[in-house]
């Protein structure tokens, strides 16, 4: 007897509906075969299914049992095929009524028949809804995540026995009816607030500009001046994610299995700070079947690289594509996948190996050649993709000991949100452009017009400081952001002057 059950595979960040065909021949030689490019986890599923079926009070059939996962040319991986394989087995042997055609099943089985959490439920829900199916059976603990996609009937399943009773109509399972968005609350308690940082007014102003336009930042300064603290305070002034952005970020974390159990939707912008010993696949993404890396986990948020030169030239050169294209494309023998990677890069580094080149209170012990070798780990093309170069000086004792309270992040964030709203209104109808840093040269030409006296200032800066064409456009983007923070529709000369001084490399030989 033949049965067909539908499940869903995750390919990259997309869900693809899979047919699980189960054929039972009671007169054949006793054997069990799983075909359709299964990985080890899928091949092992038959042992979990066999125990779950028996321990749930059903009979696992003898004879020849064949599972076909179609389409056969797509590699199947993960334990999410357990539940559809079990239901298909029971349907093929007449122990349960065949489920409706519009139903899709996803879930891992424990040996006693309970249904466990699986990764990638949100992409699965997207794929199921896009393919035209109306009902999705998922593990009970994944129901809130699946329900983020409107118009999809989500059935939370606790065990195989419970699911069979539902399909037979004896004990129907009520669909998940709660709105998961109501349970999501924005985080207002950040580890570091701008009010915690004494002094560093220039650095905080630069980070405010960076946050308002989603610009990349490189901070240079001696050890202990507060570079890491400034970077960790940056999320507290970023605007909250929109719903579409939140769903996109949540899909990435769901695929990687990093979505917190009690948080079906991520509403705060990510902050990722990988160590410099991270592998290429860990940073960019990869694996035998590619998974998102840190640059994708930082999508719509901040990627903080502390001790930037320690990452090595080759590692940093790999960031050039995502910094320019806002995506990462990974090619493997099985195919090519593209992951989103629209992040703010915040780098921090010392000016030299010992850290004290240019420091007024400590003498640098490095030779000139050692300093050059250290700084040359950052190539010109990589540095050209940085919008703001920031010198972080040592804080004066009087400022450190002052009892005056600096401006809190909430006030800075209000200005940033207002500037972002101006940009959203300006770029409405232009796909892929939401902030000033997203502008292409043609958008810069349209939205960043400057007056004649400002043109003379910019011309002088380009000639004297040797700015490239990319740097020229980045200066205009920065000036546009500074004008937005100022509430000005026109880029004035003082806006441009501030943007130019952010492009001067501190302590770079």
């Amino acid at each position: 007897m033949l049965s067909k059950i539908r499940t869903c595979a995750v390919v990259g960040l997309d869900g693809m509906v899979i047919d699980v065909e189960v054929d039972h021949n009671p007169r054949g030689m006793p054997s069990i075969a799983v075909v359709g490019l299964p990985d080890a986890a899928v091949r092992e599923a038959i042992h979990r299914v066999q125990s779950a079926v028996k321990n749930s009070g059903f009979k696992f059939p003898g004879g020849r049992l064949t599972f076909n996962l179609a389409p056969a040319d797509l590699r199947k991986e993960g334990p999410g095929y357990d539940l559809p394989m079990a239901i298909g087995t029971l349907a093929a042997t007449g122990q349960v009524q065949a489920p409706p055609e519009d139903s899709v099943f996803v879930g891992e089985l424990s040996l006693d028949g309970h249904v466990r959490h699986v990764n990638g439920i949100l992409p699965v829900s997207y794929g199921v809804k896009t393919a035209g199916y109306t009902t999705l059976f998922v593990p009970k603990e994944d129901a809130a995540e699946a329900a983020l996609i409107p118009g999809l009937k989500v059935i939370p399943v606790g065990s195989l026995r419970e699911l069979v009773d539902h399909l037979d109509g004896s004990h129907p399972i009520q669909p998940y009816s709660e709105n998961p968005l109501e349970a999501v609350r924005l985080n207002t308690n950040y580890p570091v607030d701008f009010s915690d940082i004494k002094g560093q007014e220039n650095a905080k102003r630069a980070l405010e500009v960076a946050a308002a336009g989603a610009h990349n930042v490189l901070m240079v300064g001696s050890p202990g001046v507060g570079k890491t603290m400034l970077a960790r305070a940056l999320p507290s002034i970023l605007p909250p994610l929109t719903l579409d952005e939140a769903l996109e970020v949540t899909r990435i974390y769901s695929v990687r299995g990093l979505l917190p159990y009690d948080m079906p939707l991520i509403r705060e912008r990510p902050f990722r700070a990988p160590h410099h010993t991270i592998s290429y696949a860990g940073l960019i993404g990869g694996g035998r079947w590619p998974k998102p890396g840190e640059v994708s986990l930082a999508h719509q948020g901040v990627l903080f690289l502390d001790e930037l030169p320690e990452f090595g030239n080759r590692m940093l050169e790999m960031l050039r594509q995502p910094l320019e294209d806002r995506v990462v494309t990974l090619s493997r023998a099985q195919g090519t996948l593209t992951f989103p990677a629209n992040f703010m890069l915040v780098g921090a580094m010392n000016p030299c190996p010992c850290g004290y080149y240019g420091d007024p209170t400590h003498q640098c012990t490095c030779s000139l050649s050692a300093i050059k070798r250290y700084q040359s780990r950052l190539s010109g093309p990589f540095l050209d993709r940085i919008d703001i170069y920031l010198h972080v000086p040592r804080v004066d004792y009087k400022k450190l000991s002052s009892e005056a309270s600096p401006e809190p992040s909430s006030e800075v964030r209000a200005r940033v949100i207002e500037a972002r709203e101006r940009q959203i209104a300006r770029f409405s109808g232009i796909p892929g452009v939401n902030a000033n840093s997203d502008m292409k040269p043609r958008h810069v030409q349209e939205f960043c017009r400057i007056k004649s006296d400002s043109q003379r200032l910019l011309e002088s800066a380009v000639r004297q400081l040797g700015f490239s064409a990319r740097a020229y456009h980045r200066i205009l983007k920065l000036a546009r952001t500074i004008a937005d923070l100022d509430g000005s529709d026109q880029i004035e000369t003082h806006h441009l002057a501030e943007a130019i001084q952010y492009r001067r490399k501190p302590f770079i030989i």
Side-chain angles (χ1 to χ4, degrees):
M1 189 173 177
L2 178 68
S3 69
K4 181 187 291 186
I5 307 296
R6 287 162 185 84
T7 187
C8 192
V10 177
V11 181
L13 297 180
D14 300 316
M16 178 177 292
V17 174
I18 302 294
D19 290 331
V20 179
E21 300 172 333
V22 184
D23 178 66
H24 176 232
N25 183 2
R27 298 182 180 179
M29 290 288 292
S31 64
I32 301 174
V34 182
V35 298
L37 282 183
D39 72 347
V42 180
R43 289 193 297 269
E44 292 172 354
I46 192 58
H47 302 293
R48 296 189 293 271
V49 169
Q50 191 172 21
S51 296
V53 167
K54 292 179 179 179
N55 292 328
S56 297
F58 303 104
K59 181 180 179 181
F60 193 84
R64 182 176 180 81
L65 194 63
T66 303
F67 297 88
N68 179 43
L69 310 179
D73 60 346
L74 177 67
R75 183 172 178 80
K76 320 302 186 306
E77 60 177 4
Y81 297 88
D82 293 7
L83 188 61
M85 290 172 68
I87 292 297
T89 300
L90 296 178
T93 55
Q95 299 181 71
V96 68
Q97 183 178 348
E101 291 288 327
D102 63 349
S103 299
V104 178
F105 299 79
V106 177
E108 177 185 352
L109 287 174
S110 62
L111 298 185
D112 61 359
H114 281 84
V115 183
R116 290 175 169 168
H117 155 79
V118 293
N119 296 333
I121 288 296
L122 187 56
V124 164
S125 301
Y126 266 112
V128 169
K129 177 71 180 298
T130 303
Y133 294 88
T134 60
T135 306
L136 176 62
F137 292 81
V138 298
K140 186 176 294 185
E141 61 186 285
D142 295 331
E145 182 182 344
L148 290 170
I149 306 303
L152 192 63
K153 185 179 179 182
V154 177
I155 307 297
V157 181
S159 67
L160 180 60
R161 176 83 257 180
E162 182 181 321
L163 178 55
V164 172
D165 292 342
H166 169 83
L167 295 175
D168 286 342
S170 56
H171 293 89
I173 303 174
Q174 293 300 315
Y176 187 86
S177 58
E178 299 177 19
N179 183 359
L181 295 178
E182 294 179 355
V184 177
R185 296 290 181 266
L186 294 179
N187 177 27
T188 57
N189 297 317
Y190 293 92
V192 183
D193 191 275
F194 264 35
S195 61
D196 299 328
I197 303 174
K198 299 294 183 70
Q200 304 294 11
E201 287 80 8
N202 291 338
K204 288 190 282 188
R205 167 62 179 176
L207 290 182
E208 179 181 345
V209 173
H215 299 287
N216 301 322
V217 182
L218 173 60
M219 294 184 288
V220 182
S222 302
V225 297
K227 301 187 296 295
T228 301
M229 191 174 185
L230 284 164
R232 294 193 178 278
L234 182 58
S236 67
I237 65 170
L238 292 174
L241 292 167
T242 65
L243 181 57
D244 289 341
E245 290 173 341
L247 288 170
E248 193 172 23
V249 172
T250 304
R251 286 170 67 186
I252 299 171
Y253 278 71
S254 178
V255 167
R256 281 293 304 268
L258 299 176
L259 195 63
Y261 172 74
D262 58 345
M263 187 186 296
L265 182 69
I266 294 176
R267 290 307 304 268
E268 290 299 322
R269 295 188 182 273
F271 180 86
R272 305 295 299 182
H275 193 260
H276 62 79
T277 57
I278 190 172
S279 65
Y280 300 123
L283 182 64
I284 303 298
R288 187 174 182 181
W289 188 257
K291 297 292 184 183
E294 288 291 336
V295 296
S296 295
L297 292 171
H299 181 60
Q300 300 295 351
V302 177
L303 178 66
F304 175 51
L305 302 183
D306 201 4
E307 305 297 342
L308 190 62
E310 300 299 332
F311 281 83
N313 183 266
R314 183 184 171 192
M315 185 81 75
L316 296 178
E317 292 305 302
M318 295 174 70
L319 292 174
R320 286 165 57 179
Q321 185 213 1
L323 285 174
E324 200 71 27
D325 300 334
R326 310 296 191 183
V327 296
V328 168
T329 302
L330 302 174
S331 297
R332 297 292 185 272
Q334 295 89 347
T336 299
L337 294 176
T338 298
F339 297 114
N342 187 1
F343 57 88
M344 285 177 59
L345 175 65
V346 178
M349 62 176 287
N350 298 325
C352 65
C354 78
Y356 295 109
Y357 176 68
D359 190 282
T361 60
H362 290 78
Q363 183 177 359
C364 176
T365 60
C366 304
S367 65
L368 189 61
S369 60
I371 298 174
K372 287 184 176 180
R373 282 196 303 271
Y374 181 78
Q375 295 183 357
S376 65
R377 297 179 188 178
L378 308 182
S379 69
F382 174 79
L383 288 173
D384 220 21
R385 287 165 170 80
I386 302 296
D387 298 301
I388 296 176
Y389 300 109
L390 181 59
H391 171 228
V392 184
R394 190 171 299 278
V395 183
D396 184 72
Y397 173 79
K398 291 183 179 180
K399 292 183 178 180
L400 284 175
S401 59
S402 173
E403 295 183 359
S405 180
E407 186 180 30
S409 292
S410 57
E411 296 180 9
V412 182
R413 191 182 208 189
R415 295 195 296 268
V416 168
I417 291 175
E418 185 177 348
R420 284 287 185 103
E421 288 174 350
R422 293 174 65 89
Q423 295 166 46
I424 291 173
R426 178 186 303 125
F427 303 130
S428 61
I430 304 178
V433 181
N434 299 305
N436 288 332
S437 64
D438 297 327
M439 286 192 289
K440 304 300 181 185
R442 63 180 182 275
H443 304 132
V444 173
Q445 185 176 3
E446 179 181 357
F447 298 113
C448 301
R449 298 182 182 276
I450 56 178
K451 299 177 181 178
S452 57
D453 54 344
S454 298
Q455 289 178 351
R456 289 192 294 270
L457 173 63
L458 183 56
E459 180 183 5
S460 176
V462 169
R463 288 181 175 178
Q464 293 183 22
L465 300 177
F467 290 144
S468 66
R470 182 183 287 114
Y472 166 82
H473 287 113
R474 291 185 182 274
I475 289 173
L476 290 175
K477 293 178 188 179
L478 277 173
R480 178 69 269 170
T481 299
I482 295 168
D484 288 337
L485 281 170
D486 208 19
S488 173
D489 293 329
Q490 176 66 42
I491 298 176
E492 303 293 344
T493 303
H494 64 277
H495 300 146
L496 186 63
E498 183 178 355
I500 291 173
Q501 63 99 8
Y502 286 139
R503 291 295 304 177
R504 301 190 64 175
K505 301 181 178 67
F507 297 131
I508 300 295
I509 296 178

